[in-house]
Amino acid sequence: MKKVELVFVPSPGVGHLASTLKAANLLLGRHERISITVFVIKLSSDLKIAKYIDSLPTSDRIRFIHLRPNDDSNDSPLTFIEKYKPHIKEAVSKLTANSDSSLAGFVLDMFCAPVIDVANEFGVPSYIFYTSSAASLGFWLYVQFIHDEQHVDLTQFKDSNTELVVPTSVNSVPGRVFPSSFFEKERLVPLLAHGRRFRESKGIMVNSFMELESHAFNYFGHSESSKTPPVYPVGPILGLEGDVVSDGSIGDKEIMKWLDDQAPESVVFLCFGSGGGFPEDQVKEIACALEHTGYRFLWSLRQLPPKGKMGPPSDYEDLAQVLPTGFLDRTDGIGKIIGWAPQTAILGHPAIGGFVSHCGWNSILESLWFGVPIATWPMYAEQQFNAFAMVIELGLAVEIKMDYKKDSEIIVSAKDIEKGIKCLMEHDNEVRMKVKEMSENSRKALSDGGSSSFSLDRLIQDIINNVI
């Protein structure tokens, strides 16, 4: 039988590419007729993509096409893709002219929805790969609906406890945990446009699973009036083979050796993602809290770029300059401070008993997979919404903060941090038991007969039907 070709378009960045490839390999592993072409968009600032692709095993069913780079210096993540549409169209034209496979559709990263226009020109459907939660997808689509149909002004919710009833959430959502982008006009406009484009797709793949977000998925499955295409839970899609930018360095080995010497579930791990960093006053509050708890700790502490400069956090050259006087001596043997962290490997170590996290969705899924409870400390994007979902909706996390924003001038006190960590590290508490149960569910979801496995089969049948 003739083979079926899918075109995948991930957002720029090695992290987006890695998650896209994991989704692609799920489809390849479930149907022998499918082959996949991935269009790689490399930003001028990204030095890791080529190395990452070279590290991948070769396959005759998946290939990469590198798109011609554009000047991306002033583009936002929500608008950059428009410049690439002509390049994608040209590449697909060449692909279809020289292929004996039938083009069955496009699979687009959530920030690449405008490429639906290109798919339409080739007469094939598009599917969205949504890499955050089903609840956040529901929030995004509902905000777009009430903005367009009911003319709701979102500014009334900014930094407030005013609540919005969102169909995909059990509880009303307070404005203080809305993603801040929804309050910024220059970002709101493209966000709303993306939401409208999501509705034009033939299906939305979500990196989550039914047992974790049953309320949201049931709403999508039973609401005929929502004007939403079918939503497929296909997760948890995780990078369990290791962090895509890790090089197995001596530093990584030292971290794992230190953890080997700790008792099971005795260490609290603090890590705030690739964009997570704090001003010095906040660093000192965290240090005081850790010292007062008495728990062993592993802390990924990174330095913000200088004021007025953009860029990711970097490792400190001299920790003593930012920490309280004598802290390193007093906590010697009890705690370990590191720079960049091999997060997946650390969460999978039996010594880890709790995770103080920024609540990025991938980090949440990894923590649940390994049965490690979370204390929430969100930074940006939809992380405040995720923190709310984990603490209030699902009861799978404890709160340090739910509404902290990276660009705020709020300093979280050592007292509040200490309280959160002590609650996190309690053994046999309800949150820990629920997380252990959800860990088992996450492992069953993609196994034969599991909920996400069943959903993937439905998705693949829909894709195959496109060319019958």
Side-chain angles (χ1 to χ4, degrees), residues 9 21 23 138 145 166 229 257 259 274 283 293 306 330 366 370 387 389 445:
V9 184
L21 290 181
F145 169 77
V166 181
K257 184 177 185 304
L259 288 172
S274 58
V283 171
T293 66
R330 292 192 300 274
E366 289 174 4
F370 291 115

Side-chain angles (χ1 to χ4, degrees), residues 209 238 240 264-265 267 344 346-355 363-374 390 396 424-443:
F209 53 102
L238 303 168
L240 298 179
E265 297 188 353
V267 176
T344 306
I346 290 170
L347 287 173
H349 197 285
I352 300 299
F355 181 26
S363 295
I364 287 173
L365 291 178
E366 289 174 4
S367 200
L368 291 175
W369 178 271
F370 291 115
V372 178
I374 284 175
M390 288 292 286
L396 292 170
L424 172 69
M425 295 299 286
E426 285 178 3
H427 285 273
D428 301 322
N429 64 19
E430 184 179 0
V431 167
R432 187 174 297 274
M433 289 188 286
K434 289 180 72 172
V435 167
K436 297 293 186 186
E437 181 182 351
M438 193 58 68
S439 175
E440 294 179 11
N441 289 333
S442 73
R443 292 166 183 261

Side-chain angles (χ1 to χ4, degrees), residues 97-143:
N98 300 312
S99 175
D100 58 358
S101 300
S102 296
L103 183 62
F106 285 36
V107 179
L108 308 174
D109 180 273
M110 55 199 277
F111 294 119
C112 295
V115 180
I116 288 174
D117 293 334
V118 181
N120 290 343
E121 291 190 50
F122 287 93
V124 296
S126 297
Y127 301 85
I128 301 295
F129 178 39
Y130 191 81
T131 52
S132 192
S133 69
S136 70
L137 170 64
F139 175 84
W140 191 340
L141 291 172
Y142 187 66
V143 165

Side-chain angles (χ1 to χ4, degrees), residues 15-71:
H16 290 286
L17 178 60
S19 60
T20 294
L21 290 181
K22 293 180 187 79
N25 282 315
L26 273 179
L27 298 179
L28 292 175
R30 301 187 78 84
H31 204 291
E32 68 282 354
R33 285 178 60 195
I34 294 176
S35 60
I36 289 172
T37 298
V38 180
F39 289 162
V40 179
I41 300 172
K42 181 183 178 299
L43 299 181
S44 56
S45 58
D46 195 332
L47 305 176
K48 303 184 182 80
I49 278 189
K51 181 180 178 182
Y52 172 64
I53 292 175
D54 289 344
S55 73
L56 298 171
T58 56
S59 169
D60 59 358
R61 295 176 61 201
I62 188 165
R63 58 181 162 177
F64 299 93
I65 293 178
H66 294 261
L67 296 178
R68 193 182 312 162
N70 277 312
D71 176 18

